[in-house]
Every structure is written in C-alpha cells, then in structure tokens.
Amino acid sequence: MVVASAPAKVILFGEHFVVHGEPAIVVAIDKRVYAKVELRTDDKIHVISKNLNIAGSFNDGSFTVEVGDPQAARLKLEPIKCAAEKIMEACGKRKGLDIEIYSEIPASAGLGSSAAVASAVAAAVGAALKSHLSKEEIFKASLEAEKIVHEMPSGVDSAITTFGGALLFRLNSKFERLTLEAELPLIIADTGIKRSTKDQILKVYALKERHPRIFQLMRNVLREIVLEAAEALQEGDLNILGELMNLNHALLYGLGVSNDSLEQLINAAKKAGALGAKLTGAGGGGCIIALADGLNAEKVLKAVQEAGGNAFIAHKTNDGVRVEHE
Ligand code: MEV
C-alpha cells in the first residue's frame, strides 16, 4: 500500500490572463491531498473520494457507481482514473487499482484541489508499480487529468502542486522558481460558493471576443503587475505587493469573475488593515487572499470570518508532490 500527497496552491497574480499566455505567480500552501493506492488482482480501477462521498469503479470503458449520484460521481472520478492511466502508460505497466482520496483542500474553491488530487494519484500509482517517476512525468499526467476537468487549463495548478514552492509560470514554456525574501502572511477566506473553473474561463473568452482591443490592453497591464510583483516578492516589499494585488483584483473585477460574496470578504479584509486583497483562482465564488503585515494577520483573519468566510492563515510550502510511505 502506497500513500502520496500533494499541496494546495494560491495564485498570487495572473489567474485567467495566464490561460491567454501571460505570466502568473503561484505559491504552494500547507494543505494537502492524500492518495492511497493498492494494486488489485483484477483489471478494475476502483476509486473512493472520502470528502466528496462518492465511489465507483471503471472496468473496460464502463463505470459502476457505488456511492453517490452516478453521473456526478463519474464526472468527478474520471480525471482520477485518467491520471492513474497516464502514469501506467508512462511506466509501461497496467494493473487494477484501489485508489482512496482524502483531502484537506476545499474542492471547487480556487485552491487547486483537482490538480493536487491528480498529482498525488499519479505519484502513488507510480510508486505502487515500483517505477521511479520524474516530477515532469507526474506533472504531465496531472495536466492530462486537468484537461478533463477544466478543458483548457493553463497548467499552472498542476505545475505548482507537483513542484511546490513559488513559481513564475508561463503557458507552454519553462517556469521559473521564485525565492521569497519575506514570510508572506496570507489569509485565505472561502465564500463557500462552489463554481466551475471551466465556466469562468469561458466567460472570459466571451468577453475577449466582444472586446479584443480592450482585452489586449488589460493583458498588457496584468503583465506589468506580475513583473513588478516578482521583483517585490524577491525584495520582500509587502506594501508594494499589497498594492499590486489590489490592481490585479481590479482587472479580475473588470473581467466579470468577481461577485458580491468575494467583494464582501475583500472589503472586510481591507477594512481590517490588509495591505491588499484579491480573488484567487477562477473566481465566481471560491476564495479570496489577503496580505497582512505579520502584526495584523489575526485581525484580518477575524474580520473575514465575521464577514462569513471560512478562513485560515496559509503558509508557503516547498514540498510539492511526495510519496509519504510505500
Ligand atoms: C485556475 O486555478 C486558474 C485559471 O487561470 C485557470 C488556469 O490557469 O488553468 C482560472
């Protein structure tokens, strides 16, 4: 029996625009998904998701549900099967599997839970097959699974959950590791509203089509924000970072991916003295992040909780996907 885990993430700068080719800054945080894998004696891929309370098995192209609504369960479990199959292809071995998922990361909230699940499963299956996989191979399997969930992901979620730390990410090119000078006191608050990343991405595509020149100008502004933010991060300048987060959020608001619940949490964080706040991930619900200086992190946390957010203080982790035990 093998257990592997992978971390959640927060996009500090550049969500949505990253899908269109702009850079994004993303950090892995200390909440993880765990995947337990055992080899079976038959060919079935049997998957249980503890948190989502669904279970079922795949056998020769057909799906049998055990727990949950059949259609919804298949939709959620298919990417897990995909990550496992991609890794088995990479290893050149094919086995039946029992896969069990347990997650500390809220789902559909902008924290990268689907990519983390896929990376953890890929690593656990590789280890169960006694194959020494590179992180690059795990990243590729995770990205294939993400394509089923979001259809056109940039790959930023799969990259950060696999490699950990902080990355300056660009579509279709090598990403750079960022070293952060300062502790980043980040408060994360979840509106509790679940939404589909794919729907939010499509909404932005539609806006781009209606206003191509304006969208291009917004991209240019975003690029400047990300590049300045990368410098501010390396210098540990929290005040500048906070300002840049506010500017980035203004662009996301303009794209139409914020909503009342997100704005409420952002305003509460700012009123309590946050240096900056923005939605993180696809928007339309999900989470905000607020940057505090070390002294008022607790105050900001309390303010967003009082405003209705399910909130916690996040810490950066350098540990990407890893095998816990085999
Ligand atoms: C999802 O965490 C962030 C988006 O930019 C989508 C993506 O990059 O795949 C909205």
Side-chain angles (χ1 to χ4, degrees), residues 283-298:
C287 291
I288 69 138
I289 48 172
L291 182 69
D293 64 28
L295 298 173
N296 70 356
E298 288 294 337

Side-chain angles (χ1 to χ4, degrees), residues 10 12 27 52 56 61 69 104 112 130 133 147 173 182-183 198 200 204 210 224 260 268 312:
V10 283
L12 296 183
V27 177
L52 300 179
D69 168 70
E104 299 170 349
K130 306 263 179 267
L133 296 168
K147 285 183 188 160
S173 63
E183 258 294 300
K198 183 177 139 195
Q200 298 304 312
V204 174
R210 288 198 301 279
E224 282 305 317
D260 287 351
F312 59 95

Side-chain angles (χ1 to χ4, degrees), residues 188-203:
I188 299 184
D190 188 355
T191 58
I193 299 172
K194 308 244 177 256
R195 80 292 170 279
S196 136
T197 295
K198 183 177 139 195
D199 292 349
Q200 298 304 312
I201 292 179
L202 291 176
K203 198 165 160 181

Side-chain angles (χ1 to χ4, degrees), residues 9 11 14-19 24 110-112 146 150 152-157 169 171 195 197 200-201 280-283:
K9 64 89 186 35
I11 296 186
E15 49 275 271
H16 283 294
F17 293 98
V18 68
V19 175
L111 302 181
E146 280 287 272
H150 304 316
M152 45 199 133
S154 64
V156 65
D157 291 9
F169 178 91
L171 193 68
R195 80 292 170 279
T197 295
Q200 298 304 312
I201 292 179
T280 187

Side-chain angles (χ1 to χ4, degrees), residues 154-171:
S154 64
V156 65
D157 291 9
S158 294
I160 191 65
T161 193
T162 304
F163 294 96
L167 298 176
L168 181 64
F169 178 91
R170 275 193 194 85
L171 193 68

Side-chain angles (χ1 to χ4, degrees), residues 125-143:
V125 172
L129 295 174
K130 306 263 179 267
S131 295
H132 293 285
L133 296 168
S134 66
K135 288 212 164 165
E136 203 55 48
E137 282 168 309
I138 294 174
F139 165 66
K140 278 192 201 145
S142 171
L143 185 53

